[in-house]
Amino acid sequence: MGKLAIRQLRAHPVLNFASEELQAISEVYAGATAVCAKQWIIGTWSDCERHLSAAPLDPVAAKPAWPWQKESEGGQERAGDEYPEDAYVILCREDVIILAGRCERAALYAVYAYCKEEFRIEWVYPGEVAVRVSRQADGPEREQTRAHDADRPAVQVPSMRRRGFVYENLRDEPYLLAVIDWLAKNRVNELFMTFMLWDELGAALAPELVKRGIALTLGGHSMKFFMPELMEKNQLDYSDLSWQPGVIADIAQYCGKVPSLTRISLWPEDAAIADNEAEKKRFLSGYIQFTERIKEALSAAGLEIAVEHIAYNAGLSWDMLELIDGVEASERSDVLFAYWGRDYSRPWSFSDSRAEDARAARALERWAEVAADKNRKICVFEYYSDHFMLSSLFPALPERIYDDLELFKQLGIDSVTNLVVPCSHTGTEYSWKWAQGYNSYLFARCAWGDSAEAALADYWQYAPASERAFLRAAVDRVGSKLARLTRYNFPLFPARVVDVKKLTAPVAEASDIRAELKELEADVQTTLAHLLRGEGTGLEPFRTYFNHLGETIGELNRGWAENEVLG
């Protein structure tokens, strides 16, 4: 098709990119779709108020006519800033379509949302072409999706204010560039990585973040970047002030040169602390105060960068996760809650979970309450795409992701990040990037507020229509069984079920693990046999995934049989 009549209300890097994307996507996909508008208008809400008259949009309506300015119950006009930063609207009036957001990034979201709806496409995997979503109902999920779309409010708002993806150790520039493009198209607003990774790849990634308005968080286990001598230590002494001024000055100086940087989230080393009461209180208090000093230094340098501290059970140390008596919560630093070791086969709750998970849920509840009292933000750090936590026996977790986000909302938490960790080694052509993409896509959709039914219906358009129902049932059924293996991360720590060759002594859970693996092997082999008989394009990634599972489970079965004999 020819060039669209796009009216951009203001020059800005993100708005410029939004206009370019609307034109580029239309050129690829509009051939099969009737595009009736004569003009597309792109800008922020304030741009619309400044440059457009609201009256022509609805001549018979009394002002205010903009959806974000509707009157509140008390009759007062509601300001647009009462909405989340990423809220947007798509307004279709006669031959004009207005794509506008509260901020520039939200205007880009409006462009992508319009294109997804108009051209019936979904960007499911980074670096892959968009998936065509059928206009025909292919099941009750699609019917529910259409009903949901019909009831959609004029102003679209995310369920989670902060929606981040974390890449700590992935030195893959082409893939990360594809990821950034995918993040924006799926309305994710944050990329999180270590200082080391950013120092290596930041020059290539920064321009792509800037033109999409995606926020950058730096930190993680990055203290070695500023303190090479830390390589000799398992953990820092945060109560020792002698080393901190110089390191904090270096952090502030480095951060001042990083575009798009909105948050620092520096963590202690990934090791448990000493097991005595005095050290527990001293460590957590000292570490929290260290993050507060970073915030003070950034503010003194004129840098508006948020700082958060992590609450994380490194080495399964509860005293690094829980807010223990005698430790004062911060009034300057936000909280990142990261519980390692969950049983992902069961809902996370205060009463129905296993003892460790229920304890962690109570710790999260307390941190949420204290953060609210201190007027600080809290974010949950999750592991839905982590090939270490979930191992190379990687499960699909659709129900768990949706249930978790509902729990977080009930606790008043509106921020969540998802960790992506590569699979270190496999014996097949297994693609960990593809395998974790299912959970990543569902996380991005549900964190925005899309229903699980809608997200799943769209994802499964990725599969060949003839095998769609079979594949969906198989992936979720096998995923539920694979998720049960995460319950052994605690008792086997630091090993996992896949690490049987590293174990030098018999394991009490060996017979249970072997029974679960036997059940899985039968299911996987039956599924694989069906897929190998199938024909047509689009089955290959699923065949590869199930073939990898079959090979891995077969090998582990032999290893756990030997361990069971040792016992």
Side-chain angles (χ1 to χ4, degrees), residues 154-174:
V155 179
Q156 295 297 291
V157 299
S159 175
M160 293 286 150
R161 174 186 55 83
R162 176 181 173 188
R163 308 171 302 285
F165 271 74
V166 184
Y167 297 84
E168 285 193 271
N169 57 352
L170 181 57
R171 287 167 172 77
D172 187 338
E173 181 182 309

Side-chain angles (χ1 to χ4, degrees), residues 253-449:
Q253 183 179 31
Y254 187 95
C255 292
K257 302 175 183 177
V258 180
S260 299
L261 183 59
T262 59
R263 184 179 295 102
I264 298 299
S265 185
L266 267 171
W267 311 338
E269 296 307 291
D270 203 355
I273 57 176
D275 191 19
N276 64 75
E277 291 303 316
E279 175 62 17
K280 292 170 183 177
K281 294 179 181 179
R282 190 167 67 98
F283 179 86
L284 192 54
S285 294
Y287 163 61
I288 291 174
Q289 290 164 11
F290 169 70
T291 65
E292 292 178 332
R293 294 185 189 104
I294 294 176
K295 177 60 178 175
E296 292 171 359
L298 293 171
S299 297
L303 301 174
E304 291 298 321
I305 298 174
V307 176
E308 68 186 7
H309 70 81
I310 195 171
Y312 165 54
N313 57 327
L316 303 188
S317 175
W318 287 103
D319 302 293
M320 298 174 73
L321 180 78
E322 296 174 312
L323 182 59
I324 60 178
D325 293 338
V327 176
E328 183 67 24
S330 178
E331 296 185 359
R332 299 185 188 91
S333 298
D334 298 325
V335 183
L336 181 68
F337 186 90
Y339 168 50
W340 195 96
R342 279 182 62 187
D343 175 0
Y344 278 95
S345 68
R346 301 176 63 184
W348 194 12
S349 68
F350 313 107
S351 56
D352 298 331
S353 299
R354 64 176 179 172
E356 295 90 349
D357 294 351
R359 182 177 179 180
R362 290 191 294 270
L364 174 59
E365 183 179 38
R366 186 176 183 200
W367 274 114
E369 291 172 349
V370 171
D373 289 342
K374 299 286 186 179
N375 197 28
R376 304 314 311 162
K377 297 182 176 68
I378 180 169
C379 177
V380 179
F381 184 96
E382 262 300 342
Y383 302 83
Y384 304 128
S385 299
D386 177 357
H387 263 78
F388 186 84
M389 162 83 86
L390 301 174
S391 85
S392 57
L393 295 178
F394 193 86
L397 299 171
E399 185 178 5
R400 191 61 52 245
I401 292 169
Y402 181 77
D403 288 347
D404 282 353
L405 295 180
E406 288 298 305
L407 170 65
F408 302 155
K409 286 190 340 189
Q410 291 170 20
L411 294 175
I413 298 170
D414 66 356
S415 299
V416 63
T417 61
N418 179 38
L419 175 64
V420 180
V421 172
C423 188
S424 56
H425 61 277
T426 57
T428 67
E429 295 302 313
Y430 171 69
S431 172
W432 68 265
K433 295 173 184 174
W434 183 89
Q436 63 84 27
Y438 181 76
N439 290 346
S440 288
Y441 176 78
L442 295 182
F443 168 79
R445 290 285 301 270
C446 292
W448 182 266

